[in-house]
Amino acid sequence: MDTDLLKTFLEVSRTRHFGKAAENLYLTRSAVSFRVKQLEGILGVALFERQRNNIQPTPAGERMLGHAEAVLTAWERAKQDVSLSQLQSTQLAIGAGPNIWDAYLQGPLQHLHIGLPGVALRTEVLPPTVMTRQLMDRTLDIAISFDPPKLDQFELVQLGQINLLLVSSLADMAVDGVSSGQYVKVDWGTAFNIIHAQEYAALPVPTLHTSSARIALDFILNNGGCAFLPEHLVQQLLHKGELHLVHGANAISRSVYVAYWAENDRLEQIKQAITFLIDDGL
């Protein structure tokens, strides 16, 4: 299987347009069309319904998406594995959502290589569904999230907790006084959304919805507003008076979990990494 065919298929699926896919891949439109037809010939099925300005995956194309991503991920990992230097004996693939990197992992990750001599790290920002699939495909060793996959074949370990504070760029703001255009909603997972719906339903429709705490922080510092952000991320800004606690809003705690496959052949390195992340976490 030519991996270029899979890359082209995924780009057409993403853009829903042969011309845009060709631009992004630095190919001609005819080359993109030819590659898709090659892949369809190999598989013996049509992958796209071709209508003018409306390219949609067929049911077979939808099913092929996950397989194509898994094959390309496995291939990239294989290339890195066989290219390890003499000082590195194995590779560890770690996946987490963007809010996890911002809220929990940036500090520990900078020192993880020290605690794992001889291990090359591969880190990816992934949505929960993709992390679960890659754990099952054995292309991901560790998945870190607020809402871990609850499947029998996965081991779960709690790494730590973060406290989310509703902070504002404006002083003396009360939770019942947040106006339209002043609220930024950060995606902190299912349990957060449940508490948010129960206790903060009166907050206005978000002017920005993001999965990154860093994006939310930059937005409210530059444009004003308020958002639930990790305590450690805003402590200094609160101390300097650049941010302020919103009156009447309680902190919301979220637990951070790691999931891994219990029969992974890198189990020793996985457990070492988890121990290090717990010791160096928040």
Side-chain angles (χ1 to χ4, degrees):
M1 172 63 67
D2 186 347
T3 57
D4 286 337
L5 301 185
L6 297 179
K7 292 176 183 176
T8 303
F9 162 71
L10 289 174
E11 191 61 27
V12 174
S13 298
R14 189 182 69 82
T15 61
R16 298 291 200 269
H17 197 282
F18 281 88
K20 291 178 181 178
E23 290 178 10
N24 294 342
L25 294 170
Y26 301 99
L27 297 170
T28 64
R29 183 171 182 150
S30 59
V32 169
S33 180
F34 179 70
R35 286 184 178 183
V36 171
K37 287 180 180 178
Q38 275 188 296
L39 185 58
E40 289 177 327
I42 292 171
L43 296 172
V45 295
L47 297 173
F48 295 103
E49 294 179 359
R50 295 165 174 81
Q51 300 176 11
R52 185 175 180 82
N53 297 323
N54 185 23
I55 305 297
Q56 296 294 329
T58 63
E62 293 284 0
R63 293 193 296 271
M64 184 61 189
L65 286 172
H67 296 297
E69 291 171 350
V71 169
L72 290 176
T73 300
W75 176 239
E76 289 299 319
R77 178 163 184 173
K79 288 194 296 183
Q80 291 189 4
D81 267 339
V82 300
S83 301
L84 292 176
S85 71
Q86 292 182 349
L87 299 177
Q88 297 167 321
S89 59
T90 190
Q91 179 185 209
L92 208 59
I94 303 173
N99 49 11
I100 293 286
W101 292 115
D102 292 344
Y104 190 87
L105 287 179
Q106 281 205 343
L109 184 66
Q110 304 308 316
H111 309 289
L112 190 57
H113 68 284
I114 298 175
L116 294 172
V119 175
L121 298 176
R122 177 186 174 92
T123 61
E124 297 188 70
V125 179
L126 300 168
T129 54
V130 175
M131 283 194 288
T132 300
R133 185 168 66 243
Q134 290 193 6
L135 280 175
M136 297 179 72
D137 292 339
R138 317 292 190 254
T139 54
L140 190 67
D141 297 308
I142 294 174
I144 305 174
S145 64
F146 294 118
D147 302 303
K150 295 179 174 61
L151 299 175
D152 291 340
Q153 60 266 49
F154 297 151
E155 297 289 333
L156 300 181
V157 178
Q158 183 176 335
L159 290 181
Q161 280 192 326
I162 64 168
N163 285 324
L164 303 172
L165 307 177
L166 185 58
V167 295
S168 170
S169 59
L170 302 174
D172 299 323
M173 178 180 283
V175 68
D176 56 359
V178 180
S179 303
S180 177
Q182 291 184 318
Y183 182 52
V184 174
K185 189 168 189 286
V186 185
D187 183 6
W188 295 112
T190 303
F192 172 84
N193 289 334
I194 292 172
I195 296 173
H196 190 278
Q198 293 173 341
E199 300 183 13
Y200 298 99
L203 286 172
V205 175
T207 188
L208 171 67
H209 197 148
T210 177
S211 60
S212 170
R214 294 282 177 180
I215 290 176
L217 176 59
D218 288 343
F219 187 90
I220 66 174
L221 287 176
N222 288 294
N223 301 284
C226 61
F228 278 97
L229 294 173
E231 185 175 4
H232 78 279
L233 191 62
V234 299
Q235 271 182 336
Q236 291 189 355
L237 295 171
L238 289 169
H239 182 70
K240 293 177 181 178
E242 296 180 38
L243 288 178
H244 311 271
L245 292 174
V246 175
H247 301 304
N250 297 320
I252 299 177
S253 294
R254 294 281 4 236
S255 296
V256 180
Y257 296 91
V258 62
Y260 64 94
W261 185 46
E263 298 181 18
N264 193 306
D265 57 3
R266 300 172 175 85
L267 189 58
E268 181 181 350
Q269 289 83 7
I270 289 172
K271 290 185 175 181
Q272 289 176 348
I274 292 172
T275 299
F276 186 82
L277 289 171
I278 291 175
D279 292 342
D280 200 43
L282 300 177

